[in-house]
Amino acid sequence: MIILKDILYRVRMEAVVGNTGVTVNNLHFDSRKVELNDVFIAIRGALSDGHDYIQKAIEKGALVVICEALPQHIINGVTYVQVEDSKKALAYMASNYYGNPSGKLKLVGVTGTNGKTTIATLLYNLFTKAGFKVGLLSTVKVMVAERQFSAIRTTPDSVTINSYLKEMNDEGVEFCFMEVSSHGIAQHRTTALEFAGGIFTNLSHDHLDYHKDFAEYRDVKKRFFDELPVSSFALTNVDDKNGEVMLQNTKAKKYTYALKSYADYQAQILENQFTGLLLKVNEQEVWSRLIGTFNAYNVLAIYATAELLGLETLESLKIISELNSVSGRFQYVVSDNEQITAIVDYAHTPDALKNVLETINAIRTKNEELITVVGCGGDRDKTKRPKMGHIASALSTKVIFTSDNPRTEDPEKIIEDVEAGVQPQNFKKTMSITNRKQAIKTACQLAGKNDIILIAGKGHETYQEVNGERHDFDDLQIVKEFLKQQNK
């Protein structure tokens, strides 16, 4: 229990009706979860408006209502606080409620289109191996030191973030690495958090179903760096044309990394194989088990961040050489008899798919086939679908278009959208199999000795979402089973 006025610190209030000295229990923005003496924060969302559920929340026992517009009917005994922005208010209130936990550890945010999960997860692994207690907030999972929790979205809501950070405080966690999505920034889920640093990876076509255009998407990412405090660092990839943009208005100390440009942290790829990368990082050679140019950027970002957080250079290089790939990020298996290589990757944007296919093509001898299985998610940005079709068909020997997470859309219509991007000269390379399991099976049947199969789009996900229901589906396990059958 906590006094209301103590959790309203830094909240921009426009009006108060009632007593801010009342003692309250929990914070909720979902009226269904409200219990006696809780605070209900009415948030305007894309699908529903929390202001429509104020009465329901009060009936369930809400003692306090936070809202952008006061309801016409005011109930005695209930405190109403009118605020400028409910999402911002929730962020500050959640931070205050849990005792501002982000300020009691070193929190580093990772943002960009691709690479967020890999960088955040590998930093968690690196600092854990270095002997620290570490936290992780990622798309794949949440870690409070050694304890693991499932992740619901890339950047959780403000209450969930702060509750995990409070658990990390209680556990003695010193560092936490967190993925910061454009949705999370736009919806103020990261507002009120104290960051020790921020990392920018890259920017390419994604989430244009949510952001009205690419400029808005870029500017939302930039806002994360604009809000970093003077005590923090901002590390950006200057090989990306938007890398310098991120630093324009930040108060944080500025650092850069690159493979092609002059930067504070530079790397050169000496070897690039399916077994890993040999890199020269600021004149030091390091071997990494990660694969491809895109992972060279990830390794460089990890190395730079470790140094900026005070880790000794030789120690961090040694640990980097021991790190394995992240779940669903360029994970691969090789069949026993035919030596068929099957790669599973989360690549679900045009740029990520292009990076993975170019990496494979740079390593392979061209004597083998490259068979790609790919689809696009439903209820998401439709404009990227033909781009995905064009890239897959242009950079592969054969392509099987299939279902991803269709959600509420017709999977065959999604596939038609993807096929629209295939150029006439690549048409004969492609086929469509809506059933994803059958598509993977067909790829295995088409593959001959030493051929390569790429299964893209779902990566770490162990489900397929159809009409609101999630069904068990694991690309890696399924391709392993089919390859095993072929070995018999």
Side-chain angles (χ1 to χ4, degrees), residues 2 89 107 196 243 253 295 336 338 351 358 388 428 434 450 453 465 468:
I2 194 166
L107 176 64
K253 292 180 281 293
N295 270 322
D336 294 335
E338 298 292 307
D351 193 54
E358 286 182 344
M388 297 281 280
K428 289 185 178 180
T434 306
N450 297 322
I453 300 168
E465 188 175 336

Side-chain angles (χ1 to χ4, degrees), residues 131-151:
F132 296 97
K133 283 193 173 183
V134 192
L136 173 68
L137 294 165
S138 83
T139 303
V140 179
K141 61 187 175 182
V142 173
M143 297 296 298
V144 177
E146 299 299 321
R147 289 188 291 136
Q148 180 174 329
F149 303 86
S150 59

Side-chain angles (χ1 to χ4, degrees), residues 403-476:
S403 183
D404 189 285
N405 289 321
R407 299 183 177 91
T408 64
E409 282 195 68
D410 178 354
E412 293 188 8
K413 178 64 176 68
I414 296 172
I415 291 171
E416 286 177 17
D417 291 344
V418 176
E419 288 176 323
V422 178
Q423 298 295 307
Q425 68 270 25
N426 296 319
F427 179 75
K428 289 185 178 180
K429 293 183 184 181
T430 69
M431 66 176 77
S432 299
I433 301 174
T434 306
N435 184 295
R436 192 174 181 91
K437 188 170 185 178
Q438 286 300 316
I440 295 171
K441 181 181 180 181
T442 302
C444 292
Q445 291 170 335
L446 290 172
K449 190 174 178 63
N450 297 322
D451 285 350
I452 300 165
I453 300 168
L454 170 66
I455 306 168
K458 289 176 57 59
H460 64 279
E461 294 176 349
T462 55
Y463 62 85
Q464 190 170 34
E465 188 175 336
V466 183
N467 291 323
E469 290 187 23
R470 289 188 173 188
H471 308 274
D472 289 344
F473 200 99
D474 187 327
D475 283 350
L476 190 62

Side-chain angles (χ1 to χ4, degrees), residues 65-136:
V65 172
I66 310 294
C67 53
E68 293 174 12
L70 292 170
Q72 289 184 335
H73 182 51
I74 300 295
I75 297 175
N76 286 335
V78 175
T79 299
Y80 300 83
V81 180
Q82 184 181 1
V83 296
E84 180 185 60
D85 188 315
S86 292
K87 296 185 183 79
K88 271 189 184 178
L90 175 64
Y92 284 115
M93 292 176 74
S95 180
N96 294 333
Y97 182 89
Y98 286 102
N100 302 303
S102 60
K104 297 172 184 174
L105 45 71
K106 289 186 176 178
L107 176 64
V108 175
V110 188
T111 196
T113 305
N114 303 311
K116 296 188 297 295
T117 302
T118 297
I119 290 173
T121 305
L122 292 180
L123 280 167
Y124 167 84
N125 293 339
L126 191 160
F127 276 77
T128 299
K129 283 177 176 285
F132 296 97
K133 283 193 173 183
V134 192
L136 173 68

